Amino acid sequence: MAINSYLLPALAFVSVAAAASCSIASTSTTTIVNPAGAAALAACTTYSGNVAFQTGAASNQQTVNINGVTDITGTLSYMDDNSVITFDAGTLQSVGSLMLGNLTVLSTLSMSSLSSTGDLNFTGLGSLASLSFGTPGLSKAGNVLITNTILNSLSGINALTQVDGFSISNNPYLSDIELDVTAIKGVVDIGANDVTNGGQTVKFPNLETAGQLTFRNSSSVMLPSLANVSENLGFYDNLFSSLATPNLTFAGGIVFVDNTMLTNISMPMLTTINGINGTYQIANNTLLKSIDGFENLSNVKGGLDFTGNFSSSVNVKHLPS
């Protein structure tokens, strides 16, 4: 991949007085090395290509400002800088993908106009407590990964109407995770958020179909509309006492493991567990004494594992012998 140094003199051809489009080869990356480079990028209304900010791009100003650019077709990345405090991209509306990582003192991220991105990765943002994504915020994203931040809210992201995957983990102050999306074709993995206060609460009130769902360390999980999970629906090390999916009819696999407070599972409409690597596993849930919430389950393809101190019914009467 070619790397181009992006400095103000290099964009002398840009007319700031009029809407400007700037581009490089689609396989190349423009590297921002100082505030002048950021100012040159801001002079472009639409930028075709990838943009990477290097350590020191904020210089002594501790601020990176690219207000002016509205669309970046490639990846916008900013990694491994312990000097930038503010990243201001308030005019940016769409970006091919957005990657921010190991920006240890970044405390203000302003993207109040952003509505669409490909993959979004926020990792190692140890000073970022909130997002400034505007209202309603992002509506479309690829795979979303947010891990090892101090975010206390997903405001600006939780209004997504289209997302391919959603992984939120190891954010100690993030107590509530809610998403209004109806379908997620890829992987959802939620865990290890707000652990010191009993784990995150998860609400997907409108989610109907998903590829794979995994929940860990949750104090509650609400999936009232869920009807179809093509791969595994898994619950591990959670602290809720009850789990209900009243509209679920099909899952590639069902797994409940090490949920120490669980006493009740209700999946009354589930008829089929039939994934490529499907399993029906309920194991080591200390307080769960019966398995009787699967009244209509009649077709299971894959492993069957019930492990626990069951004192009453393990209802598998609808399964073929």
Side-chain angles (χ1 to χ4, degrees):
M1 178 179 289
I3 303 294
N4 298 329
S5 181
Y6 196 109
L7 300 176
L8 188 59
L11 290 185
F13 63 88
V14 172
S15 173
V16 180
S21 296
C22 313
S23 65
I24 56 173
S26 60
T27 58
S28 299
T29 297
T30 288
T31 303
I32 306 293
V33 298
N34 55 30
L41 177 62
C44 303
T45 302
T46 299
Y47 184 82
S48 299
N50 305 311
V51 179
F53 288 83
Q54 278 192 348
T55 300
S59 190
N60 294 327
Q61 299 176 33
Q62 299 179 312
T63 297
V64 170
N65 187 328
I66 59 170
N67 275 318
V69 64
T70 62
D71 301 283
I72 297 174
T73 63
T75 297
L76 170 61
S77 63
Y78 199 164
M79 312 294 290
D80 304 315
D81 190 348
N82 61 4
S83 64
V84 60
I85 294 176
T86 300
F87 189 92
D88 192 348
T91 60
L92 186 64
Q93 298 174 11
S94 68
V95 61
S97 59
L98 179 60
M99 311 290 178
L100 303 179
N102 299 320
L103 305 177
T104 56
V105 298
L106 180 70
S107 59
T108 301
L109 176 64
S110 178
M111 294 186 169
S112 55
S113 301
L114 188 66
S115 63
S116 175
T117 180
D119 291 349
L120 183 151
N121 286 11
F122 289 169
T123 62
L125 306 179
S127 299
L128 187 66
S130 61
L131 301 171
S132 297
F133 272 20
T135 302
L138 275 177
S139 61
K140 180 180 179 181
N143 291 300
V144 172
L145 170 66
I146 299 177
T147 185
N148 295 317
T149 77
I150 63 164
L151 287 174
N152 55 40
S153 168
L154 294 181
S155 177
I157 291 178
N158 54 12
L160 281 165
T161 58
Q162 181 178 337
V163 63
D164 294 339
F166 197 68
S167 297
I168 312 294
S169 64
N170 298 302
N171 304 287
Y173 302 102
L174 186 59
S175 58
D176 299 305
I177 298 172
E178 184 169 356
L179 200 61
D180 290 334
V181 68
T182 59
I184 301 176
K185 66 182 180 180
V187 173
V188 173
D189 192 343
I190 310 291
N193 304 289
D194 198 37
V195 173
T196 58
N197 293 314
Q200 71 272 328
T201 64
V202 181
K203 298 177 183 178
F204 289 173
N206 299 313
L207 183 65
E208 297 176 2
T209 62
Q212 177 172 307
L213 299 174
T214 301
F215 301 97
R216 297 179 174 86
N217 319 112
S218 302
S219 58
S220 68
V221 176
M222 297 180 61
L223 303 165
S225 303
L226 187 65
N228 186 298
V229 182
S230 60
E231 299 182 43
N232 277 351
L233 171 59
F235 303 90
Y236 306 85
D237 297 296
N238 295 286
L239 294 174
F240 49 73
S241 61
S242 180
L243 191 286
T245 56
N247 289 296
L248 182 68
T249 60
F250 177 94
I254 296 290
V255 179
F256 287 84
V257 174
D258 294 327
N259 301 285
T260 57
M261 304 300 291
L262 183 65
T263 60
N264 181 66
I265 303 170
S266 177
M267 297 184 173
M269 301 299 291
L270 182 66
T271 61
T272 304
I273 298 174
N274 192 10
I276 296 175
N277 298 305
T279 186
Y280 182 20
Q281 181 182 27
I282 299 178
N284 303 322
N285 304 287
T286 310
L287 299 181
L288 186 66
K289 302 303 181 183
S290 65
I291 301 174
D292 54 8
F294 301 84
E295 297 91 332
N296 289 300
L297 182 60
S298 58
N299 179 15
V300 175
K301 177 183 178 181
L304 182 65
D305 176 15
F306 293 164
T307 304
N309 184 22
F310 303 114
S311 59
S312 56
S313 59
V314 177
N315 185 357
V316 293
K317 66 181 181 180
H318 294 290
L319 298 181
S321 58

